[in-house]
Amino acid sequence: YLKMEIELTLDADYMICVLYDEYLRRIKNGIPPDDAIFFGNCEQIQELVPQFTTHEITFILKDLSSKNLMSAFYPENQLEDCALNHSGILYMEKRFGKKLSTLTDKILKLKSAITLS
């Protein structure tokens, strides 16, 4: 069994970092992990990543879902809900653990990179 390395665009990497950061903050604030994984629809996610349009959010989440890092539900081609899934949490834990400061640094670097592009 060969494990394939996951490659992400800057936008997708930024998105999963922001969502994982929010997930960790929710848990720290007492929200159970099985509730903290849910992020809602495009408009709700846009509150966390206002630099992206809802169309861009849908596109990025489809990419993350295709890599099995997120679960997203698209009835009638509209994102209704999305969640970090087990694979996405494991992927992020291997990258950052639960160190919010390291994750925050990465988010800031990615944000400046996508702002420049």
Side-chain angles (χ1 to χ4, degrees):
Y1 165 70
L2 292 173
K3 186 175 183 223
M4 201 168 85
E5 190 65 35
I6 296 174
E7 294 184 274
L8 299 174
T9 64
L10 287 174
D11 290 350
D13 197 18
Y14 178 72
M15 179 74 72
I16 195 156
C17 285
V18 168
L19 295 178
Y20 182 66
D21 181 62
E22 178 65 16
Y23 164 77
L24 292 178
R25 289 177 194 284
R26 289 174 179 181
I27 291 172
K28 188 176 177 184
N29 289 327
I31 296 172
D34 58 337
D35 289 333
I37 60 172
F38 290 99
F39 293 96
N41 61 29
C42 285
E43 289 78 17
Q44 292 165 303
I45 294 166
Q46 197 173 36
E47 293 174 16
L48 298 171
V49 287
Q51 64 272 52
F52 293 129
T53 66
T54 55
H55 179 74
E56 290 169 325
I57 291 168
T58 298
F59 180 78
I60 295 165
L61 288 173
K62 282 184 177 180
D63 182 38
L64 291 170
S65 294
S66 74
K67 293 176 171 64
N68 196 32
L69 299 174
M70 301 281 301
S71 297
F73 311 100
Y74 298 94
E76 300 176 25
N77 281 338
Q78 294 291 323
L79 178 68
E80 187 173 291
D81 199 6
C82 74
L84 266 174
N85 61 25
H86 183 73
S87 298
I89 293 169
L90 281 175
Y91 172 73
M92 295 304 288
E93 281 180 351
K94 286 181 182 176
R95 289 178 67 191
F96 299 103
K98 295 191 178 185
K99 297 176 190 159
L100 284 175
S101 61
T102 308
L103 180 57
T104 302
D105 290 345
K106 179 68 172 180
I107 289 170
L108 292 173
K109 287 176 185 167
L110 286 166
K111 185 176 186 176
S112 65
I114 62 173
T115 305
L116 295 173
S117 57

